[in-house]
Amino acid sequence: MAPTAIHDERVPTGSPGKPRILVPEKVSPDGLSMLASDFEVDLRPGLSADELLGAISSYHGLIVRSETKVTAKILSAGIKLRVVARAGVGVDNIDVDAATAQGIIVVNSPSGNIVAAAEHTVALLLATARNIGRADRSFKEGKWERSKLVGVEVGHKTLGIIGLGKVGMKVARMCVGLGMKVVAVDPYASADLAKQANVELVASLADLLPIVDFLTIHTPLLASTLDLLGEEEFKRMKKTARVLNVARGGVYNEAALLKALDEGWIAGAGLDVFTQEPPEEGSVAAQLAKHPKVVSTPHLGASTVEAQENAVFPRVPSTHPLILPEEYRKLQPFVKLIEKMGGLYTQHYVGAKGRMLGGRKFELVYQGDLASITNTRPLYAALVKGLVSTISDSGGRDVNIVNANLIAKEKGLVINEMHTHETSDSQTFASLVKLRCIDTEKSGEQIIEGYVSGNTVYISKLGRFTASFTPEGTLLILHNYDEPGKIGGVGTALGKHGINIRFMTVASLDSGEEPAMDSLTRVDSAVAGMERSAPNGKGGNEALMILGVNGVVGKAVVEDLKTAEGILDVSLVQL
């Protein structure tokens, strides 16, 4: 084990009394009271940034929620600071890199509200089934409308779950206990864990929607999940079906959901989250909240006494003092690179193809100078975080060097690390990282290579194509025939949807590759239903067109690009 990164000079010797913790935001008093026996806890809600900067030097610990910005300047001023704790899931308001460089542990509570969110989902399920909201309102108005409020039983009904993460799995187990049949769609779920929970995995939304009586979504809100269900999807459902959302506003297209309720395409909805909170008067969200077929609650998914108390005790380190600061500074650019490579892999090779991530075997190969690094735990953790960030309830924020191996096992991932001092024959870099996956499902190999120049990370190879691009922001990756006019056609298609192009690069076939599609690519295109001949029936040279774009890229944009002549496949990636 490497020495701790917390240096003695950070804490002057001879400091009397208990370690001091500053809490500049309102958190559960019951949770804080449990710290009192071992710590001196100062609750000072409403502390301004300047006041925090002036006070932090006296404290060993800092507990924040989402309002306080823990900047590098504040961390530097905290000469005694050992731990910054986020009473909640995200750590976006904390400069984690600056904390790590100074040997300060950052922890959060990614699992604090899992039970609360799952229970609220089940509460809405039962409320929509038995018309609880309408019954409560009419009864309080002095009415007795039993005949108008006949509900349905949930036992022996089918629950569909989109996203079988921690919350989704908890909901599944609860509903199995209610006697429901549970089916789920999640290309990243572990088939073994699903089977153990009596959950049947189906391949796609098209398979799921027509068979469910209730539908609940538990996914992060990404470009790929924004407006995941629109008019066409609601039309495929049973007229007696009811939908639930305790995850993210915007996963259902709210206008489409409102129309589905008005037109009778579905029977009802239970909604805890909206695109705008609180909904603006007259907005679609407000109309949904007031709709007679909707049971609506004001984002109460995590609003339980227990969830609030659990959040006060962050237990998962986002950084961990098992690596020296100078080691971390050397590895930091490669941590960023490998996390981006993992996210690129999942979104380009898995999510876009509707496949399963679980069960895959990866090789993470360190080449050149990087091969001499012995403590590669941050690099391993970065890969796991990148692979699962777009599919986990916490967005990968709960992955760290302590639990990365456990999370990989939970997801059914096998990752082997290899060191070689030789770099690529085609390009020479001081250090090169190669991510290789043997896709046993399709008997093919998928490769992503990358390198670091200064503080900027680059992808140098994607599959069979030699590339050079920075994996940042929203990317569109088009597999196409390399022919005149292709760039202009793509630009026109994007312009029609108001999408601006930040950068564009064309990746050509790696030297020695055959122009014709290999078996794996043919299978990919066939699965997506997009395999087509080159213009005039002739074989064409293939290329990848990689576009960095600004704007919301929805399903309509991707579908327009997929149907363009000479386009074989399109992937939407957010990094």
Side-chain angles (χ1 to χ4, degrees):
M1 180 178 293
T4 176
I6 300 178
H7 303 297
D8 292 339
E9 58 264 27
R10 293 189 56 82
V11 185
T13 58
S15 297
K18 301 176 182 177
R20 301 183 66 193
I21 297 176
L22 176 62
V23 186
E25 299 185 54
K26 185 179 179 180
V27 298
S28 169
D30 292 333
L32 291 178
S33 66
M34 299 177 70
L35 300 173
S37 61
D38 298 309
F39 303 95
E40 180 184 332
V41 181
D42 289 347
L43 183 59
R44 300 174 62 181
L47 213 60
S48 69
D50 288 340
E51 290 170 333
L52 177 60
L53 185 63
I56 195 63
S57 62
S58 301
Y59 292 92
H60 304 85
L62 177 65
I63 297 177
V64 300
R65 299 203 72 178
S66 57
E67 295 180 7
T68 303
K69 308 301 179 186
V70 186
T71 64
K73 189 175 182 180
I74 289 173
L75 292 165
S76 180
I79 58 173
K80 299 180 183 179
L81 202 58
R82 299 183 180 187
V83 178
V84 176
R86 164 70 165 94
V89 176
V91 290
D92 296 341
N93 56 320
I94 302 170
D95 192 329
V96 176
D97 292 338
T100 302
Q102 298 181 54
I104 300 170
I105 304 172
V106 178
V107 297
N108 65 339
S109 299
S111 303
N113 64 355
I114 290 175
V115 172
E119 288 185 352
H120 198 68
T121 302
V122 176
L124 287 180
L125 183 150
L126 293 170
T128 58
R130 300 303 297 269
N131 301 311
I132 299 297
R134 290 163 58 193
D136 179 65
R137 286 191 297 270
S138 76
F139 195 21
K140 287 177 177 175
E141 292 171 357
K143 301 175 182 177
W144 188 263
E145 299 180 316
R146 293 180 66 194
S147 61
K148 293 182 179 180
L149 298 168
V150 176
V152 298
E153 295 180 4
V154 300
H156 305 293
K157 297 295 194 304
T158 298
L159 170 68
I161 300 179
I162 302 174
L164 203 60
K166 293 178 180 177
V167 177
M169 185 63 81
K170 192 72 174 179
V171 170
R173 291 190 172 107
M174 290 178 176
C175 290
V176 167
L178 291 174
M180 301 186 76
K181 177 183 178 181
V182 180
V183 294
V185 58
D186 186 337
Y188 316 105
S190 165
D192 289 339
L193 289 179
K195 185 177 180 180
Q196 291 172 21
N198 293 313
V199 177
E200 177 187 345
L201 288 175
V202 296
S204 67
L205 270 180
D207 297 321
L208 183 77
L209 295 176
I211 65 173
V212 300
D213 301 294
F214 295 86
L215 177 69
T216 182
I217 294 184
H218 299 283
T219 67
L221 184 62
L222 307 167
S224 57
T225 59
L226 178 66
D227 295 337
L228 184 63
L229 269 75
E231 289 189 14
E232 292 304 314
E233 286 74 22
F234 289 123
K235 288 178 180 178
R236 295 176 187 169
M237 300 182 71
K238 297 178 181 179
K239 293 184 182 298
T240 55
R242 293 161 172 84
V243 300
L244 313 166
N245 192 4
V246 186
R248 304 288 190 275
V251 178
Y252 296 114
N253 181 290
E254 289 181 334
L257 176 55
L258 183 62
K259 187 173 182 179
L261 293 167
D262 288 339
E263 297 292 331
W265 299 341
I266 61 173
L271 305 177
D272 184 52
V273 289
F274 302 87
T275 54
Q276 184 185 55
E277 296 180 351
E280 184 178 344
E281 187 64 31
S283 66
V284 174
Q287 293 177 60
L288 279 172
K290 295 178 180 180
H291 200 283
K293 294 182 181 179
V294 175
V295 178
S296 54
T297 53
H299 204 147
L300 299 180
S303 295
T304 65
V305 171
E306 292 83 358
Q308 299 300 312
E309 290 179 353
N310 288 341
V312 178
F313 293 98
R315 61 203 68 187
V316 177
S318 295
T319 64
H320 198 280
L322 298 176
I323 182 169
L324 292 170
E326 55 269 26
E327 290 180 313
Y328 181 79
R329 281 192 290 270
K330 185 174 182 179
L331 286 178
Q332 188 175 13
F334 292 97
V335 168
K336 180 180 179 181
L337 170 65
I338 293 172
E339 182 178 338
K340 298 291 187 184
M341 292 170 71
L344 176 59
Y345 180 87
T346 296
Q347 295 178 68
H348 179 59
Y349 283 116
V350 184
K353 307 296 186 294
R355 295 184 186 162
M356 305 288 288
L357 179 64
R360 297 190 179 222
K361 296 182 179 180
F362 294 91
E363 289 180 356
L364 187 56
V365 185
Y366 311 121
Q367 298 178 258
D369 294 346
L370 191 62
S372 62
I373 299 293
T374 56
N375 188 350
T376 58
R377 282 172 293 181
L379 303 180
Y380 181 99
L383 177 59
V384 176
K385 182 177 181 180
L387 289 170
V388 307
S389 60
T390 60
I391 63 173
S392 68
D393 298 322
S394 63
R397 290 184 292 268
D398 56 342
V399 180
N400 57 77
I401 61 177
V402 177
N403 65 9
N405 190 52
L406 176 61
I407 290 176
K409 288 181 179 178
E410 289 177 348
K411 298 294 183 182
L413 307 177
V414 177
I415 302 173
N416 294 317
E417 295 177 283
M418 302 177 64
H419 299 250
T420 173
H421 290 279
E422 296 181 0
T423 55
S424 171
D425 293 334
S426 58
Q427 293 176 303
T428 302
F429 309 103
S431 295
L432 187 74
V433 178
K434 177 184 294 186
L435 176 63
R436 179 190 292 119
C437 176
I438 306 300
D439 188 346
T440 54
E441 179 185 351
K442 303 299 179 185
S443 300
E445 182 180 75
Q446 300 151 345
I447 291 177
I448 301 176
E449 291 184 1
Y451 66 97
V452 173
S453 178
N455 289 320
T456 305
V457 303
Y458 294 92
I459 299 299
S460 55
K461 186 173 183 179
L462 182 57
R464 301 175 298 128
F465 300 90
T466 299
S468 181
F469 67 95
T470 301
E472 295 278 1
T474 301
L475 304 177
L476 282 166
I477 302 175
L478 287 74
H479 181 195
N480 58 275
Y481 289 114
D482 191 8
E483 57 187 12
K486 189 62 59 189
I487 294 174
V490 170
T492 300
L494 293 177
K496 182 177 70 174
H497 292 278
I499 305 297
N500 294 321
I501 299 176
R502 292 186 294 110
F503 73 83
M504 187 204 72
T505 185
V506 175
S508 59
L509 279 171
D510 197 3
S511 59
E513 290 283 356
E514 292 294 331
M517 287 187 292
D518 62 19
S519 59
L520 177 61
T521 308
R522 288 187 183 279
V523 171
D524 288 347
S525 298
V527 168
M530 291 177 288
E531 184 172 81
R532 53 176 64 87
S533 300
N536 303 319
K538 299 177 181 179
N541 290 331
E542 298 169 70
L544 290 183
M545 191 185 305
I546 299 148
L547 305 173
V549 299
N550 290 325
V552 178
V553 181
K555 289 191 292 186
V557 179
V558 175
E559 290 304 317
D560 276 1
L561 292 172
K562 285 182 177 180
T563 56
E565 185 178 3
I567 300 296
L568 299 167
D569 201 359
V570 179
S571 294
L572 173 61
V573 176
Q574 282 197 317
L575 298 170

